[in-house]
Amino acid sequence: MTQQVFAGATKKQAKHHKNNNMNLNINAVKGHAKTALMHLKDPWTLSWIISGILAVLIPVIIWSAQRGSYYNAYGYANEVEEQQRQYYQNQNDDGNNNNNNNNNNYYSTYKECSWFNWPCRKRQYYYATMDSGDGGDDANENGTQQLPNWYLFLGGLENSEEMSQWKEENTGVQSSSNGPSAGIEFVYVSTLLLFTALFAYGAMTIGKKQSTSNLVVFLVVAASVGLMNLVGSAQGIITSDDRDMEDSYYGWYGQMGVLIVYTNFWIMLFSIGYLIAFRVRSYLNQKTDQSGHVADEEATKYQKYDAPKTEIS
């Protein structure tokens, strides 16, 4: 009987302790929510959050509208034509594929490689160049300069003419209509992650009314990197070749490089805008402090002022 009473009391204590922990957690969440709402009442914090979100959404909206407009006008027809051509090719080339496998075993080794699978991509490039007669062990004899491994590692040949032809011959899909490469998507996602870190740090710094000196340095770096990515994307990632755009589903604006340019432009605009805003705010605060200091000095002088004594005769 005593053991049952003791066990019952222990269960009640454990339940009471659990309820207390739940209440503490709920109170902690409420406290954090109140603090966040207090920070959102600050116009600087609110403007930072809204403009940061818009800096990411506006490029996506513009890019999606442009590529969607092209797809509705021309891309859908290109996609249907590509599917029909691929279907008839698969129906008519079964015997040819068998002959090709007997004459050239490289066709049987085609494989889709992920962006980070460097050995696989290197093998596919080797097979593609062997198939076109421009690579392999006879590259130097043909006058073709062998490319370094780091270029292959970074995916520099993923959209080359040899790789595009190799892929099209084995799958029937043209690279121009196959969407962005994984490497370019990695660049875009990395850009968003870095901007998210800057966005979160800035929101905490402004919300807690801390010094913005470090934030200003990060904004300068973000603006510089954004400008470099703009130039690099325009001159490297984006293509203007009519042959690549001919069968594209989304046109020139549908390239992932265009979205990267838009995103970096808005990030650069966001950074420069707040650099100017912080500078103006600092100037106004200094001017206000100087005005207040002068007013305090005049008030002190007035308090210490002694009126001249007059003699009454």
Side-chain angles (χ1 to χ4, degrees), residues 6-311:
F6 179 74
T10 304
K11 290 181 180 180
K12 290 182 179 179
Q13 290 178 355
K15 186 177 180 180
H16 181 71
H17 182 69
K18 183 177 180 180
N19 292 333
N20 289 337
N21 290 334
M22 292 179 61
N23 292 331
L24 290 175
N25 293 332
I26 293 174
N27 292 332
V29 172
K30 290 181 178 179
H32 291 303
K34 290 181 179 179
T35 304
L37 290 176
M38 289 178 60
H39 290 164
L40 289 177
K41 292 180 180 179
D42 181 20
W44 280 93
T45 307
L46 189 61
S47 65
W48 174 273
I49 293 175
I50 293 175
S51 57
I53 294 174
L54 291 178
V56 175
L57 292 182
I58 290 178
V60 176
I61 293 173
I62 296 175
W63 181 68
S64 299
Q66 290 174 339
R67 73 197 300 260
S69 177
Y70 184 91
Y71 178 80
N72 294 330
Y74 309 102
Y76 178 73
N78 291 339
E79 185 178 11
V80 172
E81 183 180 355
E82 177 71 23
Q83 291 175 352
Q84 291 177 349
R85 182 169 61 247
Q86 184 178 355
Y87 172 78
Y88 289 120
Q89 183 177 356
N90 292 335
Q91 293 293 323
N92 297 328
D93 289 350
D94 290 338
N96 294 332
N97 286 336
N98 292 330
N99 293 330
N100 288 334
N101 287 332
N102 294 329
N103 298 328
N104 190 349
N105 291 328
Y106 297 123
Y107 286 100
S108 63
T109 58
Y110 177 79
K111 182 180 180 182
E112 290 283 350
C113 302
S114 58
W115 175 71
F116 52 83
N117 192 350
W118 175 65
C120 176
R121 290 192 289 110
K122 185 177 181 181
R123 282 196 303 271
Q124 292 302 305
Y125 176 71
Y126 176 80
Y127 295 145
T129 53
M130 285 296 295
D131 180 68
S132 61
D134 296 332
D137 298 333
D138 299 331
N140 293 330
E141 296 179 2
N142 295 333
T144 303
Q145 188 175 10
Q146 187 173 2
L147 297 174
N149 289 330
W150 62 263
Y151 188 65
L152 298 174
F153 175 75
L154 295 176
L157 293 170
E158 190 168 351
N159 293 322
S160 64
E161 183 178 356
E162 295 86 354
M163 291 297 293
S164 299
Q165 184 178 359
W166 171 251
K167 181 180 182 65
E168 184 177 356
E169 289 176 352
N170 287 273
T171 63
V173 178
Q174 297 182 357
S175 60
S176 59
S177 60
N178 198 33
S181 64
I184 298 179
E185 291 178 347
F186 171 78
V187 172
Y188 176 69
V189 172
S190 299
T191 302
L192 292 184
L193 291 177
L194 292 175
F195 179 72
T196 301
L198 173 65
F199 174 77
Y201 177 77
M204 291 187 296
T205 301
I206 298 174
K208 295 180 180 179
K209 301 186 182 302
Q210 298 175 351
S211 175
T212 58
S213 57
N214 292 333
L215 180 59
V216 167
V217 174
F218 293 149
L219 288 173
V220 171
V221 174
S224 302
V225 172
L227 179 60
M228 290 188 294
N229 288 338
L230 281 176
V231 177
S233 299
Q235 297 186 10
I237 298 178
I238 300 176
T239 179
S240 299
D241 193 346
D242 294 336
R243 292 176 299 177
D244 293 337
M245 296 295 102
E246 183 179 359
D247 299 317
S248 175
Y249 298 163
Y250 302 104
W252 187 88
Y253 287 101
Q255 299 179 83
M256 194 72 177
V258 175
L259 176 59
I260 293 176
V261 168
Y262 287 168
T263 302
N264 282 279
F265 172 77
W266 280 93
I267 290 176
M268 184 181 67
L269 193 67
F270 171 86
S271 302
I272 294 175
Y274 270 96
L275 285 172
I276 297 174
F278 288 150
R279 180 59 182 169
V280 171
R281 186 180 70 169
S282 177
Y283 172 77
L284 294 177
N285 290 338
Q286 290 178 358
K287 191 174 182 180
T288 303
D289 293 341
Q290 291 176 357
S291 300
H293 184 66
V294 171
D296 292 340
E297 288 182 350
E298 291 180 353
T300 302
K301 290 180 180 179
Y302 178 78
Q303 292 176 356
K304 294 181 178 180
Y305 175 76
D306 293 333
K309 295 180 180 180
T310 57
E311 294 181 358

